[in-house]
Amino acid sequence: MSTDQPVGRRPERLTRRQRAAAGGVVVLAVAVAAVLAATSARSSAAGDWPPAGRSACRSVQIFTGSVGSPYNQFARVLRARLEAAPEHFDVDVVETAGSTTNIYDLETPEPPRCGLAIAQLNTTVDATEGVNQFDPTRGGHQVAGLRTLGPVHQDLLHVIVRDRPLGPNDQRVDKLADLCHRTIAAGQPDSGVRQIGDVLLRVGLPGCHPVLDDSSIDDALRRLSGGTVDAVVWAGGAGTRQIRTVIAGGARLRLLDLSEFRVPITKDWNTFYGNRQHFYAGEVFGAGSLGPADYKGIRQIRTVTIPNGLIARADTDPTLVRRATAALYQDQGDYEAALWGTNPAHRRIPDALSIYEGPLFCYIPLHPAAAEYYRREFRRVPSCGTT
């Protein structure tokens, strides 16, 4: 189309409204272009980062949970990525009892400075403070120098009961209060499950004295079906394999709705940590749900989420940390498939931006080599003003 004006004719002047509309279109186009350019630059930067580096680690240990547990399944994907990296790490996914053991194991990896762990982040905070199961008066000890690389999946708090009584003397359990003086498998003594289970029972069953059983999740589910325990407390990834397996084998189970306990659990955390030297405001425990897409035949319930993270020590090899941090955000669908298979509930791994949404990455700071990723991607690390 020609842009020439007819001879002897002035171009028509735009009205004020037309000029404003045209200007808005230009501004919008510029903004969209800037966003696309920034996104493209970040994606390109992420793809190029980190460059291959010399590492002090040939062999690496990732401390996880039991075989088939969500921690263990996540770590197997991470292992494949580290072994395929230019540094060609030789990675051992170590079976453990869970978060507390994983944190302690970071003190003695073989070789030194070459260990990573997956743990509940609230439990990691307890370790840095030397409280709860890390309290020396309870046989534990403080673990100094812990650092995070980024978020992993979220655990969901389960209380599992029998769907039907086993006999006339087996009373039905419909709510947490029904377990006041019953027997509860509440996780192994030093596990993250027991830590959050203790909080749940403290805020949810005040004045009650249930008998606590120390069974692992596998044994606890067998005891529940056999009538030896009346409930199982579990904090794990949605669609935990062991629970799916017993349901597929014919076990008739239900989950209790725990949504009413999220606020008391949060208040318990804020009361405890609000009286300590460092307190960071913000949500630690979120709201979640479980249902038939996670466990066949289970009715939908609401519950509490517990955040997990990939952690290391401050002196962990920087090249390993850079590579592992990048691996957290590479093709996250692979992690989702490992955790949830076809993923009928459409569960998601937290993205990198989630480190800015809560206080846990202030309680346990990012490893300096991991912080390079967030500065490169988002030009900042979490802002950690204490209250």
Side-chain angles (χ1 to χ4, degrees):
M1 179 186 298
S2 171
T3 58
D4 293 339
Q5 295 292 332
V7 177
R9 238 180 117 183
R10 287 187 173 183
E12 294 182 9
R13 301 186 63 179
L14 299 176
T15 66
R16 181 180 299 175
R17 179 177 296 179
Q18 288 172 325
R19 288 197 302 273
V25 170
V26 171
V27 169
L28 179 60
V30 170
V32 170
V35 170
L36 290 174
T39 302
S40 176
R42 282 206 302 267
S43 299
S44 175
D48 296 338
W49 192 89
R54 296 187 63 182
S55 173
C57 301
R58 179 70 180 88
S59 297
V60 173
Q61 291 176 298
I62 307 176
F63 301 106
T64 69
S66 60
V67 172
S69 69
Y71 284 5
N72 194 269
Q73 291 168 305
F74 189 97
R76 290 176 185 277
V77 177
L78 180 59
R79 175 179 65 185
R81 294 183 174 179
L82 292 177
E83 291 183 337
E87 295 83 8
H88 299 296
F89 298 108
D90 181 13
V91 183
D92 182 18
V93 173
V94 183
E95 180 183 359
T96 73
S99 290
T100 300
T101 304
N102 296 344
I103 292 167
Y104 281 139
D105 283 346
L106 281 177
E107 296 181 310
T108 56
E110 187 56 45
R113 303 181 63 221
C114 298
L116 303 171
I118 300 174
Q120 289 178 359
L121 291 177
N122 56 309
T123 303
T124 309
V125 176
D126 289 344
T128 65
E129 295 287 340
V131 298
N132 293 323
Q133 64 265 51
F134 300 93
D135 187 335
T137 65
R138 294 177 53 177
H141 65 267
Q142 182 180 17
V143 182
L146 295 175
R147 297 292 183 266
T148 47
L149 278 63
V152 183
H153 63 280
Q154 290 185 326
D155 283 343
L156 289 97
L157 189 56
H158 302 54
V159 174
I160 312 161
V161 298
R162 290 183 289 275
D163 189 41
R164 296 178 181 177
L166 295 176
N169 296 323
D170 184 25
Q171 296 180 346
R172 181 180 171 89
V173 175
D174 289 314
K175 56 186 182 300
L176 193 66
D178 295 336
L179 294 169
C180 188
H181 299 293
R182 308 286 284 275
T183 301
I184 302 172
Q188 296 176 297
D190 289 335
S191 66
V193 174
R194 174 59 68 88
Q195 191 276 331
I196 191 66
D198 283 346
V199 176
L200 173 66
L201 299 180
R202 182 166 64 245
V203 303
L205 296 178
C208 296
H209 302 284
V211 176
L212 300 187
D213 178 279
D214 297 342
S215 297
S216 67
I217 181 65
D218 299 275
D219 289 339
L221 291 169
R222 282 193 288 270
R223 294 187 179 202
L224 179 64
S225 295
T228 309
V229 302
D230 300 299
V232 175
V233 175
W234 172 245
T240 298
R241 178 186 60 82
Q242 292 94 326
I243 302 172
R244 283 178 169 172
T245 298
V246 297
I247 291 174
R252 301 291 298 272
L253 305 177
R254 281 183 297 111
L255 297 176
L256 301 186
D257 190 296
L258 303 175
S259 56
E260 65 183 288
F261 302 111
R262 186 173 76 90
V263 171
I265 288 172
T266 299
K267 183 178 179 181
D268 183 88
W269 173 279
N270 290 340
T271 298
F272 184 84
Y273 278 99
N275 294 322
R276 305 186 75 81
Q277 182 178 2
H278 296 103
F279 173 68
Y280 302 97
E283 290 290 332
V284 172
F285 305 100
S289 64
L290 291 161
D294 303 300
Y295 303 111
K296 187 176 180 180
I298 296 291
R299 69 178 179 86
Q300 195 81 17
I301 61 99
R302 295 172 297 164
T303 188
V304 180
T305 64
I306 305 110
N308 292 304
L310 184 64
I311 64 172
R313 293 181 58 83
D315 62 356
T316 299
D317 178 66
T319 300
L320 171 61
V321 170
R322 290 187 192 98
R323 186 63 61 189
T325 303
L328 285 178
Y329 304 111
Q330 171 193 353
D331 299 327
Q332 290 183 303
D334 291 346
Y335 293 110
E336 292 163 0
L339 290 169
W340 303 303
T342 58
N343 200 3
H346 306 292
R347 301 279 178 189
R348 292 290 177 262
I349 300 293
D351 63 25
L353 286 169
S354 66
I355 73 162
Y356 304 105
E357 295 170 357
L360 286 167
F361 295 94
C362 298
Y363 285 107
I364 320 123
L366 291 168
H367 189 288
E372 293 174 22
Y373 172 86
Y374 301 96
R375 288 195 186 96
R376 184 181 181 91
E377 284 285 283
F378 308 109
R379 306 293 186 265
R380 63 189 177 102
V381 294
S383 175
C384 297
T386 58
T387 60

